[in-house]
């Protein structure tokens, strides 16, 4: 993991940090707990590769009233044993962020946040794809939701994903302190929808959802967004199949022998579906610019067309499926990316591109989130990870 440099915090920044931390004091039972929360926050922000308790406790000068013989033990006790609920802190964080960023044009962006690990005791750790390293590695993975609006962007909530290997080992779950209500077999898409319901229930406005292919390939995830009456544009893989025109179906009817057919069948002579890789090969793309970058305008080549989902077409499972919009992106290096969307039919290609590219600020700060180690290791509404932070 690369080290993130943080400059020394001057007095005026520390004063603003103290004012920010003061807004969370009602979420702690005692003023001393709130003071240790400030120490912990300060320690996470200053320079240093490791953000575990021992090195962190040595970096921060303790404020008046917190003079203790063993700062490490005191900070360990705050993180591991003090009676405060991180869910309350996350709710207040979202309320504070909403004051600056809330907008009717808000976008909820989903992605995985991964934490490379050396051992096997951290909650949910196993060998799996690690976005922080760009390959399979031993790590924890947490589905996360962030908020992007014209005013800026911020993290909202995250929750660790528990692989099946963990869920099948009660002893391991007990040792890690995973509460019983959290031992549910949830996919990443299901976790994402629960996080979305939580932050929206608190009143945060927004009508759009953007996610990469790790979520977009799930039909259940897309259906969940439809049920919540949200517009989305989500990544998919080139293995997805679709029709380029409304498919024609033959109704089930009695056969000439044997059992009668109970399923629809694609009509004789009707065009067969194709996967997105085949579709991209025959679809022209047009240059589009989505924003001004530090070195000039950022642009790519895109196609924006209507397709009819064809998953399960051979057995008639997609009969009656509503068409979706497909965005094909050809990147500068020639790599092709795909996204599907339920945006209104009249949505322009450039508007779809700009919405799709709203993931950019999230992707750029994912590395900062991961390299800052445990700033987000207490997922809102998830397991009590405070002791893991130690």
């Amino acid at each position: 993991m690369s080290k993130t440099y943080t400059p020394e915090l001057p007095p005026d920044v520390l004063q603003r940090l103290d004012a920010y931390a003061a807004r969370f004091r009602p979420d702690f039972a005692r003023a001393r707990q709130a003071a240790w929360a400030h120490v912990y926050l300060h320690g996470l922000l200053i320079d240093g590769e490791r953000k575990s308790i021992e090195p962190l406790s040595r970096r921060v000068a303790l404020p008046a009233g917190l003079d203790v013989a063993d700062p490490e033990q005191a900070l360990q006790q705050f993180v591991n044993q003090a009676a405060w609920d991180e869910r309350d802190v996350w709710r207040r964080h979202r309320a504070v962020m909403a004051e600056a960023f809330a907008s009717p044009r808000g976008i909820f962006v989903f992605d995985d946040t991964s934490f490379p690990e050396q051992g096997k005791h951290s909650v949910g750790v196993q060998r799996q794809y690690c976005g922080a390293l760009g390959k399979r590695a031993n790590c924890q993975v947490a589905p996360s939701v962030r908020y992007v609006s014209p005013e800026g962007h911020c993290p909202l909530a995250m929750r660790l994903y528990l692989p099946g290997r963990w869920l099948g080992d009660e002893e391991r779950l007990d040792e890690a302190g995973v509460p019983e209500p959290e031992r549910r077999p949830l996919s990443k898409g299901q976790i994402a929808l629960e996080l979305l319901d939580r932050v929206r229930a608190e009143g945060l406005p927004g009508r759009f959802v953007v996610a990469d292919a790790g979520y977009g390939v799930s039909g259940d995830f897309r259906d969940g967004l439809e049920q919540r009456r949200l517009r989305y544009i989500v990544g998919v893989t080139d293995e997805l199949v679709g029709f380029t025109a409304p498919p024609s179906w033959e109704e089930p009817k009695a056969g000439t022998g044997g059992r009668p057919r109970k399923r629809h069948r694609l009509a004789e002579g009707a065009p067969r579906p194709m996967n997105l890789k085949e579709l991209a090969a025959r679809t022209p793309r047009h240059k589009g610019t989505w924003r001004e970058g530090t070195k000039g305008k950022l642009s790519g080549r895109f196609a924006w067309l209507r397709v009819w989902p064809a998953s399960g077409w051979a057995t008639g499972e997609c009969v009656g499926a509503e068409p979706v919009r497909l965005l094909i992106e050809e990147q500068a290096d020639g790599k092709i990316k795909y996204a599907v969307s339920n945006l209104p039919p009249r949505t322009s290609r450039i508007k779809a591109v700009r919405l799709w590219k709203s993931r950019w600020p999230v992707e750029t700060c994912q590395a900062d989130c991961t390299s800052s180690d445990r700033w987000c290791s207490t997922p809102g509404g998830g397991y009590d990870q405070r002791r893991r932070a130690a």
Side-chain angles (χ1 to χ4, degrees):
M1 183 186 300
S2 62
K3 180 177 177 180
T4 298
Y5 171 72
T6 306
E8 184 178 351
L9 303 181
D12 63 314
V13 172
L14 291 176
Q15 289 174 4
R16 295 202 306 272
L17 178 63
D18 184 59
Y20 171 78
R23 302 190 65 168
F24 294 84
R25 284 173 187 165
D27 299 314
F28 297 97
R30 298 191 304 276
R32 193 174 181 86
Q33 287 181 349
W36 280 110
H38 183 206
V39 172
Y40 187 48
L41 178 61
H42 185 180
L44 291 175
L45 290 177
I46 60 178
D47 193 24
E49 184 172 354
R50 294 189 63 215
K51 298 298 175 76
S52 55
I53 297 299
E54 181 182 358
L56 189 151
S57 64
R58 299 171 182 167
R59 297 187 191 120
V60 181
L62 298 183
L66 283 186
D67 298 328
V68 292
D70 191 344
E72 178 187 344
Q73 182 181 11
L75 194 55
Q76 286 273 15
Q77 184 177 9
F78 163 74
V79 172
N80 296 340
Q81 303 170 23
W84 57 276
D85 192 332
E86 78 279 1
R87 292 170 297 185
D88 293 337
V89 174
W90 270 94
R91 277 192 291 270
R92 193 174 300 275
H93 159 77
R94 289 190 285 268
V96 172
M97 294 298 101
E99 294 175 7
F101 301 125
S103 167
R105 297 165 59 192
I107 303 168
F108 300 101
V109 180
F110 288 95
D111 203 351
D112 284 351
T113 300
S114 54
F115 305 100
E117 294 285 352
Q118 296 297 325
K120 61 180 181 180
H121 301 294
S122 301
V123 178
V125 69
Q126 73 167 17
R127 187 170 179 79
Q128 55 194 318
Y129 181 77
C130 179
L133 301 177
K135 62 181 181 180
R136 288 181 60 84
N138 197 57
C139 65
Q140 297 168 292
V141 173
S144 63
V145 55
R146 294 170 181 261
Y147 192 70
V148 177
S149 81
E151 310 303 324
H153 60 92
C154 64
L156 293 179
M158 62 169 51
R159 177 173 173 178
L160 285 176
Y161 167 68
L162 278 182
R165 187 175 299 176
W166 271 81
L167 291 168
D169 191 337
E170 291 291 333
E171 183 177 347
R172 195 179 190 187
L173 293 170
D174 290 340
E175 183 179 351
V178 179
E180 287 290 343
E182 305 300 340
R183 302 182 184 189
R184 294 176 292 150
L186 296 175
S187 68
K188 293 179 182 178
Q190 289 170 323
I191 293 174
L193 290 174
E194 287 194 0
L195 294 177
L196 180 61
D197 289 342
R198 179 175 300 120
V199 300
R200 293 183 72 218
E202 295 172 10
L204 198 62
R207 297 183 293 113
F208 301 101
V209 171
V210 180
D212 65 13
Y215 297 90
V217 294
S218 169
D220 290 340
F221 178 70
R222 299 195 303 269
D223 290 344
L225 298 178
E226 289 273 10
Q227 292 163 9
R228 290 160 176 79
R229 299 181 178 181
L230 293 170
R231 297 293 188 181
Y232 65 78
I233 182 165
V234 294
V236 291
T237 64
D238 60 12
E239 298 172 354
L240 192 74
V241 290
F243 299 97
T244 57
S248 300
W249 301 94
E250 293 180 356
E251 297 284 342
K253 60 183 179 180
T256 56
R259 296 180 179 179
R261 285 195 294 112
K262 297 182 179 180
R263 296 174 176 171
H264 286 74
R265 176 183 296 174
L266 197 61
E268 192 71 26
R272 280 351 188 209
M274 64 183 74
N275 63 43
L276 300 190
K277 186 174 183 179
E278 295 172 315
L279 181 57
R282 62 176 65 183
T283 302
R285 293 177 283 278
H286 307 276
K287 186 175 181 179
T289 299
W290 62 88
R291 73 175 183 86
E292 190 76 32
T294 56
K295 297 181 180 180
K297 293 181 178 180
L298 299 181
S299 63
R301 300 187 67 82
F302 302 90
W304 179 236
L305 61 158
R306 187 164 60 163
V307 297
W308 283 256
S311 178
W313 69 271
T315 53
E317 296 175 29
C318 57
V319 172
E322 294 293 326
V324 296
R325 301 303 297 266
L326 171 67
L327 182 69
I328 302 175
E329 175 189 3
E330 180 183 349
Q331 298 179 334
D333 60 0
K335 190 173 183 179
I336 306 295
K337 294 280 191 176
Y338 309 88
V340 296
S341 174
N342 67 347
L343 288 170
R346 295 183 179 180
T347 303
S348 67
R349 181 177 68 248
I350 191 59
K351 182 175 181 180
V353 168
R354 287 172 178 167
L355 181 60
W356 174 237
K357 290 300 183 177
S358 64
R359 298 178 304 133
W360 173 80
V362 171
E363 292 173 346
T364 56
C365 72
Q366 284 286 54
D368 294 336
C369 169
T370 304
S371 61
S372 64
D373 203 1
R374 294 293 172 239
W375 78 266
C376 47
S377 63
T378 54
Y383 330 119
D384 186 349
Q385 281 264 100
R386 286 177 285 156
R387 64 179 186 168
R388 173 64 193 91

